[in-house]
Amino acid sequence: MKILVVDDEQDIRTLFEQRFRREIRNGELDFSFAYSGEEALTYINGHFSEIVLILSDINMPDMSGIELLRRIRTMHPTAPPTIMMITAYNDEENYNQAKKYGADDFLNKPIDFSNLKQKLTESL
């Protein structure tokens, strides 16, 4: 399963690679990382057919995760990929906007990796 993680925090890569070490080694999960909405769009344009899941932070500089979600769903109106939004804030406005633009699920920061693993296992 090809997963694109979009987050402006550079250390997110290390965190995901540590938490999913076994799944990556076994070839079950393949993570790619983008550190901005623009970088994510560039990556998606070249790899759209490969990506099964996008995990995107909502609060990023320049382009928010909500704007990224809107652009992805405008460019590719039919699913896949599944898009899960990640937020440190449990605010209803972001939740409603993300749902409006087609978010499939939500995760709160700090990420509960056991919950995320369960969701990914169900998707495999």
Side-chain angles (χ1 to χ4, degrees):
M1 174 188 291
K2 181 84 165 167
I3 300 169
L4 175 62
V5 179
V6 185
D7 197 314
D8 59 309
E9 295 179 26
Q10 299 279 332
D11 60 345
I12 197 81
R13 178 183 204 119
T14 304
L15 193 56
F16 270 83
E17 288 174 346
Q18 287 173 347
R19 298 296 180 127
F20 292 100
R21 181 178 28 239
R22 186 181 58 204
E23 293 84 355
I24 292 168
R25 190 179 18 185
N26 293 340
E28 297 168 19
L29 300 176
D30 179 14
F31 288 94
S32 294
F33 298 86
Y35 302 104
S36 70
E38 287 296 334
E39 187 179 340
L41 289 175
T42 300
Y43 184 86
I44 290 164
N45 285 335
H47 300 88
F48 186 76
S49 64
E50 303 167 22
I51 302 169
V52 175
L53 173 66
I54 298 172
L55 298 171
S56 178
D57 189 15
I58 288 180
N59 296 304
M60 296 184 291
D62 300 324
M63 181 189 304
S64 73
I66 301 289
E67 177 61 16
L68 173 63
L69 172 65
R70 187 189 70 73
R71 288 191 189 187
I72 293 168
R73 292 299 191 211
T74 299
M75 293 174 359
H76 307 282
T78 58
T82 298
I83 302 176
M84 292 184 191
M85 305 305 293
I86 304 169
T87 183
Y89 310 102
N90 209 0
D91 90 58
E92 200 167 322
E93 183 180 339
N94 278 332
Y95 176 85
N96 289 337
Q97 275 195 309
K99 278 309 242 186
K100 173 184 167 186
Y101 291 125
D104 296 293
D105 205 347
F106 295 85
L107 299 169
N108 289 318
K109 281 186 177 181
I111 296 172
D112 177 346
F113 280 95
S114 59
N115 180 34
L116 179 56
K117 281 185 180 187
Q118 179 65 36
K119 290 177 186 235
L120 295 178
T121 302
E122 292 168 2
S123 299
L124 288 176

